[in-house]
Amino acid sequence: MAEPFVGGEYVEVTGMGRISVVDPASGEEVDTVPLCGDEEVDRAVESAREALAGWQGMPASRRGEILAEAARAVMERRDELAPLLTAEQGKPLREARIEIRRFVLTLEHYAGLAKNIRGGYVPDLDEGAYGMILRRPLGVVGAIVPWNFPTTLLGNKLGPALITGNAVVAKPAETTPLTTLRIAGIMHEAGLPAGVFNVVTGDGPTTGQALVEHPLVRKVAFTGSTPVGRKLAALAAGELKRATLELGGSDPMIVCDDADLDRAASAASVGRFFNCGQACLAVKRLYVFESVAEELVEKLVGKVKKLRVGPGTEEGVMIGPLHTPRQRELVEGQVEDAVSSGAEVLAGGKRPDGREKGNFYEPTLLLEPSHDSRVAMEEVFGPALPIWKVSDLDEAIERANSSVYGLGSSIWTRDLDRATEAAERIEAGYTWINSPQIVYDELPFGGWKQSGYGKEHGIEALEYYTETKSVVVRRSS
């Protein structure tokens, strides 16, 4: 039985019962973890608070060295961690290895920024006086991480939080806590001081709420759905806590009549169906110029029909199961609604034959559902992609901006003017031009509209884990 990681060790707690962690491919129990309540969360937060003085008092360069060493230790254990991630989340082993590597790269990136944390100096404020701008850590940070990329999205929070001198209490999703717990132990073994990184387990209403409301937690970093993000923001606002919210998305992809259609079709397939479509930044709406729609759709259908569905441990599998039965039912309902609104099913649209166990669903393409159907209006968190034909760039951008979400977006065109116009007009925090949907640590990432606020990645993320303080110094003579 797995246990929370607090103060540099795994601690056995009574909690409020235990939660079963289930393999999405088989429905079998992998392990159990405790449902932590107020007492367990308080213990973890106190451990983080006690660690703050030593961690903050350490030179930033030394924090960077420790973080880099901890990241290397995780990478050395990737072959141990990847099967555990596949077992609890469902993704193919290849994708699990990619995710562990992505976590490590993010920690290494922020370890390298350790010497770039700077304040400021303002001369001649007044006669005989100058000013300093100090940058200080916030204190204890609560990191609440979802189930779709439990390690990648942890790294987005852990890297900037730790390098700026904060201590972290993480709460992974109740369905995917195991890899996070193991990583915490590995990082401590590699030299991360006790209490700097703690992990509590449990659900959102109990454990997550206790963490957000704890009076010693000064910042909450959350990735998840927009409805849950709204509730979390309200809780954090009660004590004016800092919050970074990376929420839902319904990312549009525009394919113009001058695009490289082979590359665009590949990007649409990977961008939609990676991780079984369970990604905030997945391609979720495809708008294609009418003159090339038939050709692009033909290429895309060909690619999608080659995608093999099955357990993540099977050789050659490219799409694993959806994470939970409820998630599959949600996607099925969205597809059924699209078909009832007039959509043509070009591929998929059903559970695969011969896969009675597990939460499997075929990769699905839907042509021309209604613009007020659920797949157009809601976030589709699974392997279904709606496709619409558009007459020109103006119509494509208008449709792209019709969503309440504004996370990512992409356009495929050889025309620099079109690309520039799309980058300027699409209401999203990220736009890829002739590029697959890869997020880079060097660039700030965050949503517009109901996709959240605050930035992860980039040096900008450091601002969300520090406070600035102004100091006036007057010379004595």
Side-chain angles (χ1 to χ4, degrees):
M1 295 190 298
E3 299 295 345
F5 189 80
V6 177
E9 61 182 354
Y10 295 100
V11 295
E12 187 174 345
V13 300
T14 304
M16 303 169 67
R18 298 193 72 85
I19 298 171
S20 179
V21 180
V22 176
D23 184 342
S26 66
E28 297 176 358
E29 184 177 271
V30 179
D31 205 337
T32 66
V33 294
L35 172 58
C36 293
D38 292 346
E39 182 178 340
E40 292 78 22
V41 169
D42 182 66
R43 180 176 177 179
V45 172
E46 284 289 346
S47 175
R49 183 190 63 79
E50 291 170 4
L52 279 173
W55 186 240
Q56 292 176 4
M58 192 179 293
S61 59
R62 179 58 184 147
R63 291 199 297 266
E65 292 170 359
I66 292 173
L67 188 60
E69 186 61 35
R72 284 190 289 270
V74 172
M75 191 61 191
E76 289 170 0
R77 309 288 279 275
R78 181 170 67 163
D79 289 342
E80 167 196 332
L81 293 168
L84 184 60
L85 179 56
T86 291
E88 64 178 340
Q89 202 280 336
K91 63 185 64 192
L93 273 171
R94 175 181 172 273
E95 293 185 15
R97 292 189 185 97
I98 291 172
E99 181 169 345
I100 300 298
R101 176 61 173 157
R102 181 69 261 165
F103 171 83
V104 170
L105 287 174
T106 297
L107 294 195
E108 289 178 340
H109 174 78
Y110 282 103
L113 289 179
K115 295 181 180 181
N116 292 294
I117 302 170
R118 295 187 175 97
Y121 166 71
V122 182
D124 303 323
L125 282 176
D126 199 348
E127 185 175 346
Y130 64 90
M132 295 190 299
I133 303 168
L134 307 184
R135 186 172 292 278
R136 302 297 299 156
L138 297 173
V140 179
V141 171
I144 300 178
V145 183
W147 49 261
N148 57 329
F149 293 99
T151 61
T152 297
L153 297 173
L154 171 66
N156 291 352
K157 298 154 183 55
L158 199 60
L162 293 185
I163 207 64
T164 48
N166 301 282
V168 174
V169 178
K171 191 208 81 67
E174 62 266 34
T175 54
T176 55
L178 304 178
T179 310
T180 300
L181 287 167
R182 187 70 195 100
I183 284 174
I186 292 170
M187 292 180 69
H188 175 65
E189 292 166 9
L192 194 67
V196 170
F197 175 30
N198 309 274
V199 182
V200 292
T201 57
D203 63 16
T206 305
T207 317
Q209 183 165 337
L211 182 59
V212 174
E213 292 184 328
H214 197 288
L216 293 179
V217 172
R218 295 309 312 148
K219 158 75 186 277
V220 179
F222 171 79
T223 300
S225 71
T226 296
V228 175
R230 289 194 192 99
K231 295 177 182 177
L232 186 148
L235 290 173
E239 292 192 23
L240 300 179
K241 297 177 189 284
R242 292 277 197 95
T244 301
L245 305 177
E246 195 258 285
L247 307 179
S250 185
D251 295 8
M253 175 176 172
I254 298 171
V255 180
C256 300
D257 52 7
D258 62 342
D260 183 326
L261 298 185
D262 289 316
R263 291 178 61 207
S266 293
S269 178
V270 175
R272 172 65 279 192
F273 300 112
F274 187 81
N275 200 39
C276 197
Q278 300 167 123
C280 299
L281 281 172
V283 174
K284 292 171 184 163
R285 293 176 291 145
L286 180 57
Y287 298 103
V288 189
F289 279 31
E290 291 171 340
S291 59
V292 296
E294 183 176 348
E295 184 178 359
L296 185 282
V297 167
E298 182 180 352
K299 292 177 183 294
L300 184 55
V301 169
K303 290 181 178 297
V304 169
K305 287 187 174 180
K306 293 178 181 178
L307 297 175
R308 183 182 170 193
V309 178
T313 52
E314 284 188 9
E315 189 71 27
V317 163
M318 303 176 77
I319 297 185
L322 284 133
H323 187 54
T324 63
R326 180 182 177 277
Q327 193 62 35
R328 180 172 63 176
E329 291 167 5
L330 178 61
V331 174
E332 286 177 324
Q334 291 170 321
V335 171
E336 291 169 5
D337 175 76
V339 172
S340 68
S341 78
E344 177 186 354
V345 179
L346 302 175
K350 62 183 179 66
R351 301 182 183 188
D353 297 331
R355 296 288 185 188
E356 287 74 23
K357 288 185 178 181
N359 310 317
F360 298 102
Y361 193 76
E362 292 184 351
T364 300
L365 298 175
L366 303 164
L367 183 62
E368 296 286 356
S370 168
H371 286 292
D372 61 0
S373 63
R374 290 178 61 190
V375 294
M377 305 297 290
E378 300 175 358
E379 178 176 26
V380 180
F381 218 66
L385 177 63
I387 306 167
W388 292 274
K389 300 173 186 177
V390 293
S391 58
D392 55 24
L393 186 60
D394 281 336
E395 182 184 359
I397 293 176
E398 181 182 355
R399 292 296 184 188
N401 288 341
S402 65
S403 173
V404 297
Y405 298 107
L407 197 58
S409 59
S410 58
I411 182 170
W412 289 80
T413 179
R414 290 184 172 94
D415 187 323
L416 180 60
D417 290 338
R418 280 175 168 174
T420 301
E421 183 176 359
E424 292 177 346
R425 290 178 56 195
I426 294 176
E427 297 168 350
Y430 227 109
T431 297
W432 288 270
I433 299 171
N434 298 326
S435 173
Q437 290 77 11
I438 299 172
V439 174
Y440 295 92
D441 286 318
E442 295 85 351
L443 298 175
F445 163 63
W448 293 13
K449 299 190 286 189
Q450 293 190 31
S451 289
Y453 52 76
K455 298 298 179 185
E456 295 188 326
H457 298 289
I459 198 167
E460 289 82 358
L462 302 181
E463 299 175 8
Y464 292 89
Y465 291 90
T466 56
E467 278 282 16
T468 55
K469 178 178 182 178
S470 296
V471 178
V472 175
V473 180
R474 186 172 295 275
R475 299 180 182 90
S476 59
S477 59

